[in-house]
Each structure stands twice: as structure tokens, then as C-alpha cells.
Amino acid sequence: ISTSPSLPLYNPYIFSSRLQHGYKVAWKIAVSPNNNVVNIYEKKGKDWVKIDELTEHSGRITGIDWAPESNRIVTCASDRNAYVWTLKDSVWKPTLVLLRINRAATCVKWSPLENKFALGSGARLISVCYFDKENDWWLSKHIKKPICSTVLSLSWHPNNILLAAGSADLHCRIFSAYIKDIEDKPGPTAWGAKMPFGEVLLEHKDCGGWVHSVSFSPAGDQLAWVAHNSSISVADATEGKQVTQLSTSHLPLLSVLFVSASEIVAAGHDCCPYQFTFKSPGSLEFVKKLDIPKQTSKGSMSAMQHFRNLDKKATEEDDKELNTLHQNSITQLCVMSGDKSKVDKYSSVGLDGAMVIWTFKH
Amino acid sequence: MSKNTVSARFRRVDVDEYDENKFVDEEDGGENQLGPDEAEVDSLVRQGNLMEALHAVLKNPPINTKNQNVKDRAEGLVLKVLSAFKSSDIEKGVQSLDKNGVDLLMKYIYKGFERPSENSSAVLLQWHEKALAAGGVGSIVRVLTARKTV
């Protein structure tokens, strides 16, 4: 079930992140319409009203993440920079992050405890950034080996240490992003016990295509990813890190999200979110399409119009629209409300410039 | 003006070869891959047992080998089997395959399109229609994304 898209349509490529205050449900989102500006919208009644603009980047925004607890936004762009934005006296103030990358940034994610964030880039490395109080700036440590191509997606494990990364080198990996300067040594997880910075705890080769999106399960013991060969896969740490891959008959999926311990939502070039379920290795199945097709009014076309269409366009249908809510590929899914173990609402943004908010029925 | 504006040879230099960070696919020893068993497939076709022939010809696909002869031989054999089918039996043939079988069939079909012979495209198009109905566009996407194929 979905609520209607209420943003004005503009250029393709919108990113969204979400914030929901606990005590008063004030919906705010940060989106970028395929340019170098981040717009902040607030839901006032039925409308989304633009309340702010974050302009600092000189290149196209490629990633936005909003940390709900500390209320900070991190943005990254093709200009090889990232900024951390903090709200001071109702004004968002940027702080430059020293990434030390020589290619565009591609994606960025705050860690669960929000004391660091990870950033993927075309420089074939991941920058794990943390705040250095002494010098009042954000520092970064690089994870390079064994990444061979652009990092396309990131996902944090709930333990704030492990980081999954999908890459254009057709691999899906889990790294340790443990920064000893800011946190205690982590305890063992199902993925492994030794976690020095940069350690590889999972490396799945040949995922079949570029790995567009990765997502840890709520407890962190499973990792789902979608690849460009129209497949979705899940690695299960509790079962020897076994990987189950499901080839779909659809166009490639671009974004994947665990909405509960066993249910997964994924969406992509088919413009429609799909639900999958994972019970155990070997058991990854398609459940259903989550978009209810629009009722078309084909029946009410007159005979005259019928022949007119045949004559002009050699087609009987007067339907140029897709029968899904999104009219173009969905590029990103984002949790809007609900605990990650039981997501209530999630959003999808697409190349059609629309954002749709969906409610997941568990 | 410098002298070498006349020569355009520099344009033919493959700069990727000089890139030390060039992405290299992993080697997967495919020397032992010989493709489907020609004798087995031929005898099944002769007997008229086309369903079995289809399953036999889709075994041992020469995906990892670099030997072009093996690949060409396999493609030719597959085409032979596909052409032997009656049009009305194609759908049943496709439905007897599992998901991986349909994906592999799609790979052979597109390989066959690359080098058309007399009646091959017509036959392949009929198979393509049925394979598409079974595998969806996903099976075609996998033909495009496969780094190693038949």
C-alpha cells in the first residue's frame, strides 16, 4: 500500500534519507534532484514543503545520509568531497571531511552509533571517517585491499564495526571498520572473531554482476545483496556463511532492504518493489509484487478513438504509462519509520523524479 | 607545430594495457572443458529422442575454456538439436529445462544469432520466444552480464 507521490517532478536521480522525531511525528527528508544541491523538505499536512537548501558541493550529489539521533547529515558528491552538516541556530553548517580520494564519492552511510561513517568511491576504496576532537576535523582511514573497482553500496552491521560493501568488481565483501581511537574492541560475531581495521570477513567473488546494493539483516547475521545479473543473494553467517542466490526473471534490482528478520524488499529497473523471503540457506523465494497495478480505463475508449490510434500509431492502446506508481527505475529504498526489525514505512525514489512512501504489511 | 601531427599512430595505442590497476578477470582453469558429448547427442538425434538430445547438448557447456574451436563445435551441435525440433514441440522442450538450463539455452541462442547461417535465425527466434516466456528478461540480462560465456 502506498501514499501518493507528492513532490513536484523534476530531474532524475533523487536521493532521500529520513528523519522522524520520536515525540512529534515531523517528517523531514533530504533529497537531491540530480544536481549539486541538497533540499530539505518537511511534511506539513498533506504537502511536502521545502524548508532548506544545502549548497556547498560543486559536483553532483551522489549520497546523503541523515543520522537520526545526533541529527547530522553527511553528503558526498562527484567533486570528491564529503561534508558533515550540523544544525546550529536553525542553520545547517557544513564541515569538510578530509577524504583523500582522487575519484568521485559514490555512497555514504552513518554507522549505527553515528560516531563514524563510511564512504564508497570510484577510487576503489572505502573511507571510514571519524571526528578528531583534538584538531576539530573529520579524519578518514582507507580500506583498499582487495577492492578492484568502484564501491557501489555500503551497509553497516548493528555492532557498529562490520561494514558490507558491494562493488563494480563483481564482489560483495564484509570488512571490519574498527577504529581503535574512538571505540572499544568488538566482541566476536557470527562473521568472525578477529576484526582489525580492514580485515575481510566475507568475500563473495563473482556475484554475477555489479553489486548495486547490500543490506544486513536486523540482527546482522545475514547479508543480502542485489547484482546486475538480475539476481538477489543472501549470505548466512549462522550457516557457515553459505550464499543462496536467486536468479529472477525481472530486470536488475538496484536497491535492497531487510524489513524484518526474514522479509526483504528490493526494487530496480522494473519500477516496482518486490518482496522476497529468506528462511535458511537454499530457501530464498520471491513472495509478491508490492505495487498494486493501476486500474486502467481502457474499456471506456470509443470505437472512433480505437481506429484513430490504429491509424496514427499502429497501436490499439492509448496507454503510454507504466501501470506501476513509479514511471521509471527505482534507484533507492530507504527506511522511513519503524524499528529495523519490523519496518513500518519505507520510501522509494526513482529516475522519474518521484518519491513514494510504502507501508509494509508484516 | 610539432612534427608528429602527421602521424596518427598514437591513436591506436591500447592505453588500458599500460594501466597497472587494470581489472583482470580471475582465471578459472577451463582447459579440461570439452563441451557437450558429440557422439551421445548425435545418436540421440538420430533415434529421434529430441528431448534427451536437448538435455545432453546442454551438458558441459564450454564456458571457462579459451579454446574457440570447442566453443564453435558446441554451438554448432546445439543448433543442430534446436533445428531438429518440430515447432510445436519447442515449448515442451523449454519447459523440461530448469532455471539454469533456460539461462544456458538463452546464451546459446544469442551466440547463434551472432553468426547466422541459412535457416538458423528463424529457428533460434522460435526458441527465443519460448525461452523468454520461461526465463523472462532476467535470462537475457544474464546473457549480457556473463563475463564468461559459451
mmCIF file of all heavy atoms in Angstrom, chain A residues 42-75:
data_model
loop_
_atom_site.group_PDB
_atom_site.id
_atom_site.type_symbol
_atom_site.label_atom_id
_atom_site.label_comp_id
_atom_site.label_asym_id
_atom_site.label_seq_id
_atom_site.Cartn_x
_atom_site.Cartn_y
_atom_site.Cartn_z
ATOM 1 N N GLU A 42 9.895 19.319 4.549
ATOM 2 C CA GLU A 42 9.170 18.905 5.744
ATOM 3 C C GLU A 42 7.721 18.667 5.357
ATOM 4 O O GLU A 42 7.162 19.395 4.537
ATOM 5 C CB GLU A 42 9.251 19.991 6.826
ATOM 6 C CG GLU A 42 8.566 19.567 8.113
ATOM 7 C CD GLU A 42 8.833 20.499 9.271
ATOM 8 O OE1 GLU A 42 9.628 21.452 9.119
ATOM 9 O OE2 GLU A 42 8.245 20.265 10.339
ATOM 10 N N LYS A 43 7.120 17.653 5.964
ATOM 11 C CA LYS A 43 5.725 17.368 5.646
ATOM 12 C C LYS A 43 4.848 18.260 6.496
ATOM 13 O O LYS A 43 4.864 18.196 7.706
ATOM 14 C CB LYS A 43 5.411 15.895 5.949
ATOM 15 C CG LYS A 43 4.091 15.434 5.367
ATOM 16 C CD LYS A 43 4.234 14.107 4.657
ATOM 17 C CE LYS A 43 3.095 13.868 3.688
ATOM 18 N NZ LYS A 43 2.170 12.855 4.172
ATOM 19 N N LYS A 44 4.099 19.112 5.810
ATOM 20 C CA LYS A 44 3.155 19.976 6.520
ATOM 21 C C LYS A 44 1.775 19.637 5.998
ATOM 22 O O LYS A 44 1.401 20.024 4.896
ATOM 23 C CB LYS A 44 3.482 21.456 6.270
ATOM 24 C CG LYS A 44 4.889 21.816 6.742
ATOM 25 C CD LYS A 44 5.071 23.290 7.082
ATOM 26 C CE LYS A 44 6.292 23.456 7.988
ATOM 27 N NZ LYS A 44 7.276 24.385 7.474
ATOM 28 N N GLY A 45 1.050 18.891 6.802
ATOM 29 C CA GLY A 45 -0.276 18.459 6.372
ATOM 30 C C GLY A 45 -0.112 17.413 5.287
ATOM 31 O O GLY A 45 0.539 16.392 5.492
ATOM 32 N N LYS A 46 -0.649 17.706 4.121
ATOM 33 C CA LYS A 46 -0.557 16.728 3.046
ATOM 34 C C LYS A 46 0.591 17.046 2.101
ATOM 35 O O LYS A 46 0.899 16.265 1.201
ATOM 36 C CB LYS A 46 -1.866 16.727 2.242
ATOM 37 C CG LYS A 46 -2.920 15.836 2.823
ATOM 38 C CD LYS A 46 -3.972 15.472 1.796
ATOM 39 C CE LYS A 46 -4.820 14.325 2.315
ATOM 40 N NZ LYS A 46 -5.797 13.891 1.339
ATOM 41 N N ASP A 47 1.200 18.216 2.281
ATOM 42 C CA ASP A 47 2.231 18.618 1.327
ATOM 43 C C ASP A 47 3.626 18.544 1.881
ATOM 44 O O ASP A 47 3.857 18.672 3.068
ATOM 45 C CB ASP A 47 1.993 20.073 0.882
ATOM 46 C CG ASP A 47 0.661 20.230 0.194
ATOM 47 O OD1 ASP A 47 0.371 19.388 -0.670
ATOM 48 O OD2 ASP A 47 -0.071 21.154 0.553
ATOM 49 N N TRP A 48 4.567 18.375 0.969
ATOM 50 C CA TRP A 48 5.973 18.456 1.334
ATOM 51 C C TRP A 48 6.431 19.872 0.991
ATOM 52 O O TRP A 48 6.306 20.311 -0.142
ATOM 53 C CB TRP A 48 6.798 17.452 0.526
ATOM 54 C CG TRP A 48 6.573 16.042 0.936
ATOM 55 C CD1 TRP A 48 5.709 15.147 0.392
ATOM 56 C CD2 TRP A 48 7.221 15.359 2.020
ATOM 57 N NE1 TRP A 48 5.791 13.942 1.042
ATOM 58 C CE2 TRP A 48 6.694 14.041 2.043
ATOM 59 C CE3 TRP A 48 8.192 15.711 2.950
ATOM 60 C CZ2 TRP A 48 7.120 13.086 2.975
ATOM 61 C CZ3 TRP A 48 8.610 14.763 3.874
ATOM 62 C CH2 TRP A 48 8.075 13.459 3.882
ATOM 63 N N VAL A 49 6.934 20.576 1.995
ATOM 64 C CA VAL A 49 7.350 21.956 1.777
ATOM 65 C C VAL A 49 8.855 22.055 1.910
ATOM 66 O O VAL A 49 9.440 21.535 2.867
ATOM 67 C CB VAL A 49 6.678 22.873 2.838
ATOM 68 C CG1 VAL A 49 7.137 24.300 2.657
ATOM 69 C CG2 VAL A 49 5.161 22.771 2.743
ATOM 70 N N LYS A 50 9.482 22.728 0.976
ATOM 71 C CA LYS A 50 10.948 22.858 1.044
ATOM 72 C C LYS A 50 11.288 23.875 2.118
ATOM 73 O O LYS A 50 10.820 25.015 2.086
ATOM 74 C CB LYS A 50 11.488 23.314 -0.312
ATOM 75 C CG LYS A 50 13.021 23.399 -0.329
ATOM 76 C CD LYS A 50 13.577 23.250 -1.714
ATOM 77 C CE LYS A 50 14.057 24.556 -2.270
ATOM 78 N NZ LYS A 50 14.825 24.376 -3.506
ATOM 79 N N ILE A 51 12.089 23.441 3.075
ATOM 80 C CA ILE A 51 12.423 24.362 4.162
ATOM 81 C C ILE A 51 13.893 24.779 4.157
ATOM 82 O O ILE A 51 14.282 25.713 4.840
ATOM 83 C CB ILE A 51 12.068 23.766 5.550
ATOM 84 C CG1 ILE A 51 12.786 22.431 5.758
ATOM 85 C CG2 ILE A 51 10.567 23.630 5.716
ATOM 86 C CD1 ILE A 51 12.657 21.898 7.172
ATOM 87 N N ASP A 52 14.708 24.074 3.409
ATOM 88 C CA ASP A 52 16.124 24.416 3.429
ATOM 89 C C ASP A 52 16.871 23.912 2.207
ATOM 90 O O ASP A 52 16.420 22.979 1.543
ATOM 91 C CB ASP A 52 16.782 23.791 4.666
ATOM 92 C CG ASP A 52 17.492 24.834 5.486
ATOM 93 O OD1 ASP A 52 18.136 25.730 4.866
ATOM 94 O OD2 ASP A 52 17.423 24.770 6.721
ATOM 95 N N GLU A 53 18.028 24.520 1.975
ATOM 96 C CA GLU A 53 18.874 24.101 0.858
ATOM 97 C C GLU A 53 20.302 23.999 1.355
ATOM 98 O O GLU A 53 20.801 24.937 1.997
ATOM 99 C CB GLU A 53 18.845 25.184 -0.229
ATOM 100 C CG GLU A 53 18.207 24.747 -1.508
ATOM 101 C CD GLU A 53 18.225 25.829 -2.564
ATOM 102 O OE1 GLU A 53 19.224 26.566 -2.640
ATOM 103 O OE2 GLU A 53 17.230 25.926 -3.284
ATOM 104 N N LEU A 54 20.948 22.890 1.076
ATOM 105 C CA LEU A 54 22.347 22.755 1.487
ATOM 106 C C LEU A 54 23.197 22.896 0.233
ATOM 107 O O LEU A 54 23.185 22.019 -0.625
ATOM 108 C CB LEU A 54 22.590 21.384 2.132
ATOM 109 C CG LEU A 54 21.637 20.978 3.270
ATOM 110 C CD1 LEU A 54 22.011 19.601 3.803
ATOM 111 C CD2 LEU A 54 21.668 21.984 4.393
ATOM 112 N N THR A 55 23.897 24.017 0.121
ATOM 113 C CA THR A 55 24.704 24.238 -1.075
ATOM 114 C C THR A 55 26.154 24.422 -0.666
ATOM 115 O O THR A 55 26.518 25.397 -0.027
ATOM 116 C CB THR A 55 24.265 25.512 -1.821
ATOM 117 O OG1 THR A 55 24.315 26.595 -0.880
ATOM 118 C CG2 THR A 55 22.850 25.393 -2.340
ATOM 119 N N GLU A 56 26.948 23.460 -1.017
ATOM 120 C CA GLU A 56 28.388 23.592 -0.724
ATOM 121 C C GLU A 56 29.174 22.795 -1.747
ATOM 122 O O GLU A 56 30.292 23.107 -2.093
ATOM 123 C CB GLU A 56 28.689 23.070 0.688
ATOM 124 C CG GLU A 56 30.034 23.480 1.234
ATOM 125 C CD GLU A 56 30.112 24.942 1.638
ATOM 126 O OE1 GLU A 56 29.064 25.537 1.924
ATOM 127 O OE2 GLU A 56 31.213 25.496 1.644
ATOM 128 N N HIS A 57 28.541 21.719 -2.207
ATOM 129 C CA HIS A 57 29.209 20.853 -3.159
ATOM 130 C C HIS A 57 29.287 21.506 -4.528
ATOM 131 O O HIS A 57 28.413 22.282 -4.915
ATOM 132 C CB HIS A 57 28.451 19.520 -3.296
ATOM 133 C CG HIS A 57 28.726 18.567 -2.182
ATOM 134 N ND1 HIS A 57 29.920 17.897 -2.040
ATOM 135 C CD2 HIS A 57 27.949 18.166 -1.147
ATOM 136 C CE1 HIS A 57 29.870 17.117 -0.959
ATOM 137 N NE2 HIS A 57 28.690 17.263 -0.401
ATOM 138 N N SER A 58 30.335 21.169 -5.268
ATOM 139 C CA SER A 58 30.470 21.704 -6.615
ATOM 140 C C SER A 58 30.153 20.631 -7.646
ATOM 141 O O SER A 58 30.078 20.904 -8.832
ATOM 142 C CB SER A 58 31.896 22.222 -6.824
ATOM 143 O OG SER A 58 32.806 21.183 -6.526
ATOM 144 N N GLY A 59 29.994 19.401 -7.163
ATOM 145 C CA GLY A 59 29.694 18.318 -8.087
ATOM 146 C C GLY A 59 28.344 17.705 -7.757
ATOM 147 O O GLY A 59 27.744 18.003 -6.732
ATOM 148 N N ARG A 60 27.876 16.814 -8.615
ATOM 149 C CA ARG A 60 26.569 16.182 -8.411
ATOM 150 C C ARG A 60 26.567 15.347 -7.134
ATOM 151 O O ARG A 60 27.465 14.557 -6.891
ATOM 152 C CB ARG A 60 26.258 15.298 -9.621
ATOM 153 C CG ARG A 60 24.891 14.660 -9.592
ATOM 154 C CD ARG A 60 24.658 13.832 -10.854
ATOM 155 N NE ARG A 60 25.557 12.706 -10.956
ATOM 156 C CZ ARG A 60 25.319 11.498 -10.459
ATOM 157 N NH1 ARG A 60 24.201 11.265 -9.809
ATOM 158 N NH2 ARG A 60 26.201 10.538 -10.611
ATOM 159 N N ILE A 61 25.517 15.526 -6.341
ATOM 160 C CA ILE A 61 25.394 14.780 -5.088
ATOM 161 C C ILE A 61 25.165 13.306 -5.407
ATOM 162 O O ILE A 61 24.296 12.958 -6.207
ATOM 163 C CB ILE A 61 24.186 15.277 -4.268
ATOM 164 C CG1 ILE A 61 24.265 16.777 -4.033
ATOM 165 C CG2 ILE A 61 24.071 14.516 -2.951
ATOM 166 C CD1 ILE A 61 25.233 17.202 -2.962
ATOM 167 N N THR A 62 25.965 12.437 -4.800
ATOM 168 C CA THR A 62 25.817 11.008 -5.051
ATOM 169 C C THR A 62 25.332 10.244 -3.827
ATOM 170 O O THR A 62 24.918 9.091 -3.950
ATOM 171 C CB THR A 62 27.155 10.397 -5.501
ATOM 172 O OG1 THR A 62 28.153 10.768 -4.542
ATOM 173 C CG2 THR A 62 27.560 10.914 -6.861
ATOM 174 N N GLY A 63 25.406 10.870 -2.665
ATOM 175 C CA GLY A 63 24.943 10.155 -1.478
ATOM 176 C C GLY A 63 24.576 11.106 -0.360
ATOM 177 O O GLY A 63 25.204 12.160 -0.193
ATOM 178 N N ILE A 64 23.510 10.742 0.371
ATOM 179 C CA ILE A 64 23.078 11.536 1.525
ATOM 180 C C ILE A 64 22.719 10.546 2.628
ATOM 181 O O ILE A 64 22.079 9.522 2.367
ATOM 182 C CB ILE A 64 21.798 12.348 1.211
ATOM 183 C CG1 ILE A 64 21.984 13.241 -0.011
ATOM 184 C CG2 ILE A 64 21.399 13.199 2.417
ATOM 185 C CD1 ILE A 64 20.699 13.921 -0.459
ATOM 186 N N ASP A 65 23.105 10.830 3.857
ATOM 187 C CA ASP A 65 22.607 10.011 4.957
ATOM 188 C C ASP A 65 22.367 10.910 6.160
ATOM 189 O O ASP A 65 23.181 11.772 6.469
ATOM 190 C CB ASP A 65 23.574 8.874 5.318
ATOM 191 C CG ASP A 65 22.881 7.755 6.082
ATOM 192 O OD1 ASP A 65 21.623 7.706 6.075
ATOM 193 O OD2 ASP A 65 23.565 6.922 6.696
ATOM 194 N N TRP A 66 21.236 10.716 6.791
ATOM 195 C CA TRP A 66 20.830 11.545 7.909
ATOM 196 C C TRP A 66 20.860 10.699 9.181
ATOM 197 O O TRP A 66 20.186 9.676 9.257
ATOM 198 C CB TRP A 66 19.413 12.051 7.663
ATOM 199 C CG TRP A 66 19.015 13.252 8.448
ATOM 200 C CD1 TRP A 66 19.439 13.615 9.691
ATOM 201 C CD2 TRP A 66 18.075 14.242 8.050
ATOM 202 N NE1 TRP A 66 18.836 14.784 10.083
ATOM 203 C CE2 TRP A 66 17.980 15.187 9.098
ATOM 204 C CE3 TRP A 66 17.286 14.441 6.905
ATOM 205 C CZ2 TRP A 66 17.163 16.317 9.033
ATOM 206 C CZ3 TRP A 66 16.462 15.557 6.845
ATOM 207 C CH2 TRP A 66 16.406 16.486 7.910
ATOM 208 N N ALA A 67 21.666 11.129 10.153
ATOM 209 C CA ALA A 67 21.752 10.392 11.408
ATOM 210 C C ALA A 67 20.654 10.878 12.339
ATOM 211 O O ALA A 67 20.679 12.033 12.773
ATOM 212 C CB ALA A 67 23.114 10.628 12.046
ATOM 213 N N PRO A 68 19.671 10.037 12.644
ATOM 214 C CA PRO A 68 18.502 10.499 13.405
ATOM 215 C C PRO A 68 18.802 10.937 14.837
ATOM 216 O O PRO A 68 18.248 11.918 15.299
ATOM 217 C CB PRO A 68 17.554 9.308 13.374
ATOM 218 C CG PRO A 68 18.373 8.135 13.000
ATOM 219 C CD PRO A 68 19.540 8.634 12.240
ATOM 220 N N GLU A 69 19.705 10.236 15.525
ATOM 221 C CA GLU A 69 19.947 10.590 16.927
ATOM 222 C C GLU A 69 20.736 11.873 17.079
ATOM 223 O O GLU A 69 20.392 12.763 17.834
ATOM 224 C CB GLU A 69 20.702 9.455 17.633
ATOM 225 C CG GLU A 69 19.940 8.141 17.682
ATOM 226 C CD GLU A 69 18.598 8.288 18.371
ATOM 227 O OE1 GLU A 69 18.547 8.930 19.445
ATOM 228 O OE2 GLU A 69 17.597 7.789 17.829
ATOM 229 N N SER A 70 21.839 11.971 16.355
ATOM 230 C CA SER A 70 22.673 13.155 16.501
ATOM 231 C C SER A 70 22.245 14.278 15.567
ATOM 232 O O SER A 70 22.799 15.375 15.601
ATOM 233 C CB SER A 70 24.134 12.791 16.227
ATOM 234 O OG SER A 70 24.237 12.163 14.969
ATOM 235 N N ASN A 71 21.240 14.002 14.743
ATOM 236 C CA ASN A 71 20.725 15.000 13.805
ATOM 237 C C ASN A 71 21.821 15.633 12.951
ATOM 238 O O ASN A 71 21.912 16.853 12.844
ATOM 239 C CB ASN A 71 19.937 16.087 14.564
ATOM 240 C CG ASN A 71 19.019 16.862 13.639
ATOM 241 O OD1 ASN A 71 18.587 16.338 12.611
ATOM 242 N ND2 ASN A 71 18.751 18.111 13.980
ATOM 243 N N ARG A 72 22.649 14.809 12.365
ATOM 244 C CA ARG A 72 23.656 15.326 11.446
ATOM 245 C C ARG A 72 23.429 14.694 10.085
ATOM 246 O O ARG A 72 23.008 13.548 9.981
ATOM 247 C CB ARG A 72 25.069 14.973 11.925
ATOM 248 C CG ARG A 72 25.513 15.792 13.134
ATOM 249 C CD ARG A 72 26.868 15.379 13.606
ATOM 250 N NE ARG A 72 26.914 13.989 14.032
ATOM 251 C CZ ARG A 72 27.976 13.440 14.607
ATOM 252 N NH1 ARG A 72 29.052 14.176 14.820
ATOM 253 N NH2 ARG A 72 27.965 12.185 14.959
ATOM 254 N N ILE A 73 23.728 15.456 9.054
ATOM 255 C CA ILE A 73 23.584 14.939 7.694
ATOM 256 C C ILE A 73 24.979 14.852 7.094
ATOM 257 O O ILE A 73 25.788 15.771 7.232
ATOM 258 C CB ILE A 73 22.732 15.889 6.823
ATOM 259 C CG1 ILE A 73 21.337 16.049 7.429
ATOM 260 C CG2 ILE A 73 22.617 15.352 5.402
ATOM 261 C CD1 ILE A 73 20.471 17.037 6.667
ATOM 262 N N VAL A 74 25.257 13.741 6.418
ATOM 263 C CA VAL A 74 26.518 13.671 5.685
ATOM 264 C C VAL A 74 26.154 13.598 4.211
ATOM 265 O O VAL A 74 25.211 12.901 3.823
ATOM 266 C CB VAL A 74 27.388 12.458 6.118
ATOM 267 C CG1 VAL A 74 26.678 11.133 5.898
ATOM 268 C CG2 VAL A 74 28.718 12.469 5.403
ATOM 269 N N THR A 75 26.855 14.355 3.394
ATOM 270 C CA THR A 75 26.587 14.365 1.954
ATOM 271 C C THR A 75 27.899 14.098 1.235
ATOM 272 O O THR A 75 28.970 14.485 1.712
ATOM 273 C CB THR A 75 26.050 15.723 1.471
ATOM 274 O OG1 THR A 75 27.027 16.735 1.766
ATOM 275 C CG2 THR A 75 24.747 16.085 2.145
#
